[in-house]
Amino acid sequence: WTNNSNSPVEYRGGITIAPTYTYMFSGGSGTQSFTTNNQALTCKNDGVEYVSTFFNFQSMTVSAGTTVTNNDALLVGNISGLGGLTQGINSILYIQSASTISTLTATAAGNTVNYYGTAQTVLPITYNNLTLTGTGTKTLTGVSTINGNLEFSPYYGNATATAATGLTIGGNVILQAGTFSGSNFTHNVAGNWINNGGTFINTGSTINFNGTTAQTIGGSASTTFNNISIANTAAAGNNTVTLNMPASVSVILNLTSG
C-alpha cells in the first residue's frame, strides 16, 4: 500500500500487514498521525534486519496520551509528538532524521534501534541494541546504557560517534565501519569486542571487560586500546577474555579478575 497522493492520514486503531504481503506500507510524504487510542504496527519480518516488509513513514507523529507499539519493522524519517513509541520484542526501528517524540521505549529483548541518517542526535534513553550508520556524526549526549549490542554498521555509510559518558554495554561492541571515540571514560563491556574494519579512537579511555561468561577480543582487524581492565566474573574456567586477533594496549592492562 502506497500513499501516492502524499496526503496526511490519521490512525486510531493501528495497522496490521498480513503475513502473505511482502512489500512495504508507505505513508508517502504526508504526516502519519496516531491519535486517540493505544495502537500497534504489526507485520511479518521474523526479527530480521533489512527486511522487505516494513512500515515506511517519512513523517510520523503520536499524540499525547497515545502509545504506538512497533511489533516488527518501522522506518521513519522524523518522529514527533507528545505520545510514545514502544519497541516490541525483536522489533526494528530505523530513524533517518530527527526524533523529538516525548517517549521512546526500546528495552524489549531483541529489539534494535538504528540511526541511519546524516548528523543525528541519539535519544538519551536505555537501548537494547543500538546501531549507528549513515554519514555524519551521531551525538550520544545522555546515552549511557545499552543492554545488548552497540554496532557501527556500514549499510548506509560510515557513522562517527564520541562517547559523552561511560557506557555500560551488556552485549558486544561491533565495529563494522565508521569511527567510535571512547573519549576519557571507562566503558563496561559484558560481551565481545569485534572489530571488522571500524576505527576505535582510544584516547583517555578504558575498556573494562566485565562479563559473566567467557569473552573474546577479535574480528578481522586489530584494535589499539588505551587501557584495558579484565574483570570477568564467570565461574572458574570460564572467566576468560581470549585474544583472537592481535591487539595493543597503549597504557595499562589491569587484571582484576578472570
Side-chain angles (χ1 to χ4, degrees), residues 167-255:
L167 299 176
T168 296
I169 301 167
N172 304 320
V173 174
I174 307 170
L175 304 178
Q176 307 276 17
T179 301
F180 173 44
S181 177
S183 209
N184 191 29
F185 301 109
T186 295
H187 306 294
N188 296 312
V189 178
N192 303 320
W193 184 279
I194 304 167
N195 187 345
N196 287 329
T199 299
F200 176 56
I201 299 176
N202 64 31
T203 307
S205 66
T206 297
I207 304 300
N208 181 39
F209 290 93
N210 67 336
T212 57
T213 60
Q215 297 175 263
T216 62
I217 299 173
S220 61
S222 62
T223 301
T224 298
F225 297 94
N226 184 61
N227 301 321
I228 287 181
S229 179
I230 305 297
N232 187 285
T233 58
N238 293 315
N239 58 338
T240 59
V241 177
T242 301
L243 192 63
N244 290 335
M245 172 60 69
S248 302
V249 179
S250 300
V251 183
I252 295 174
L253 170 61
N254 181 37
L255 303 177

Side-chain angles (χ1 to χ4, degrees), residues 41 75 97 103 108 117 127 129 139 162 172 181 195 208 216 223 231 247 251:
L41 301 174
L75 185 154
S97 185
T103 304
Y127 292 89
N129 298 318
T139 301
T162 299
N172 304 320
S181 177
N195 187 345
N208 181 39
T216 62
T223 301
V251 183

